[in-house]
Amino acid sequence: MKVILFGATGMVGQGALRECLLDPDVEAVLVVGRSPTGQRDAKLREITHTDFFDLSAIAPDLTGYGACLFCLGVSSLGMSEPDYRRITYDITLAVANTLARLNPGMTFVYVTGQSTDSTEQGSVMWARVKGKTENDLLKLPFKAAYMFRPGGIQPLHGVRSKTAWVQAIYTATAPLWELLVRIAPRYVTTTEKVGRAMIRVVRNGYSKPILETPDINQVGA
């Protein structure tokens, strides 16, 4: 299995990268990002690229891969709908359309979030935008596409948020996360389980295209 990973410096992406590097079935990982991860591994190759709307300059490097784990995303907090849509929908579909053309046998895994709105009609802005993103990804000519909708995520194995105030909250509430993972598996998962589940649905498939937190926990256990 050869994997392309977007968003490897984010919290979910860090967990996905760790699991890819540990999994013996993953023979190569290509990270495409705006900044380096700082990781070193024989499996790992990194390309620094700033314009995700136009991947033509690196298109030859993106061929021959069987999976894309797309973990790139931002919080909608304080953002207008056009700005949030530009990052969440426009960039994702630009990347996905390019990869579908270059690798028609690829499996595409996209990280959205719990309560994403598949109807695209609800009152919550981020949920509508994520819902449209999911719906349009599922129409692309990939071998398969899976939408991951985790709820709360406990960072493990040194995974950290890039946002200082978010990381401060995680640090202060670490004992609570340990408890929530045990008592609320329908709502809380871990970076380890998300990363493992991504690899396993690429390898084995899954019975439905949208995985909620209980599905992620089951597959990634």
Side-chain angles (χ1 to χ4, degrees), residues 4-157:
I4 300 176
L5 176 58
F6 284 82
T9 59
M11 198 172 77
V12 174
Q14 290 173 54
L17 177 57
R18 177 182 185 273
E19 298 309 314
C20 283
L21 297 179
L22 289 173
D23 194 302
D25 284 347
V26 178
E27 61 178 286
V29 184
L30 173 64
V31 167
V32 182
R34 295 187 177 94
S35 58
T37 65
Q39 297 271 7
R40 296 291 182 270
D41 192 278
K43 293 183 184 182
L44 177 62
R45 181 185 174 207
E46 298 194 46
I47 295 176
T48 301
H49 189 78
T50 56
D51 184 3
F52 290 161
F53 289 105
D54 183 3
L55 300 176
S56 57
I58 62 170
D61 299 291
L62 304 178
T63 60
Y65 287 84
C68 175
L69 310 183
F70 197 89
C71 306
L72 187 68
V74 295
S75 168
S76 64
L77 189 64
M79 296 187 74
S80 67
E81 184 161 349
D83 287 345
Y84 184 70
R85 179 188 169 102
R86 176 177 168 81
I87 295 173
T88 300
Y89 177 84
D90 294 347
I91 286 180
T92 305
L93 267 293
V95 170
N97 274 292
T98 298
L99 293 178
R101 175 173 53 84
L102 296 173
N103 302 287
M106 172 176 275
T107 296
F108 193 92
V109 179
Y110 176 58
V111 180
T112 62
Q114 189 169 293
S115 301
T116 291
D117 178 14
S118 296
T119 73
E120 307 176 29
Q121 302 299 316
S123 61
V124 180
M125 180 271 284
W126 73 262
R128 290 195 310 272
V129 174
K130 288 278 195 181
K132 179 168 179 56
T133 306
E134 286 187 354
N135 291 340
D136 287 358
L137 285 173
L138 290 169
K139 297 173 186 175
L140 294 181
F142 288 113
K143 174 186 175 183
Y146 297 98
M147 310 295 113
F148 273 47
R149 294 181 175 181
I153 303 175
Q154 179 192 18
L156 297 177
H157 308 297

Side-chain angles (χ1 to χ4, degrees), residues 190-211:
T190 69
T191 52
E192 179 180 78
K193 289 179 179 177
V194 174
R196 286 180 180 173
M198 287 180 174
I199 296 168
R200 289 171 182 171
V201 298
V202 170
R203 182 169 55 216
N204 305 321
Y206 197 64
S207 59
K208 55 186 179 179
I210 295 175
L211 287 83

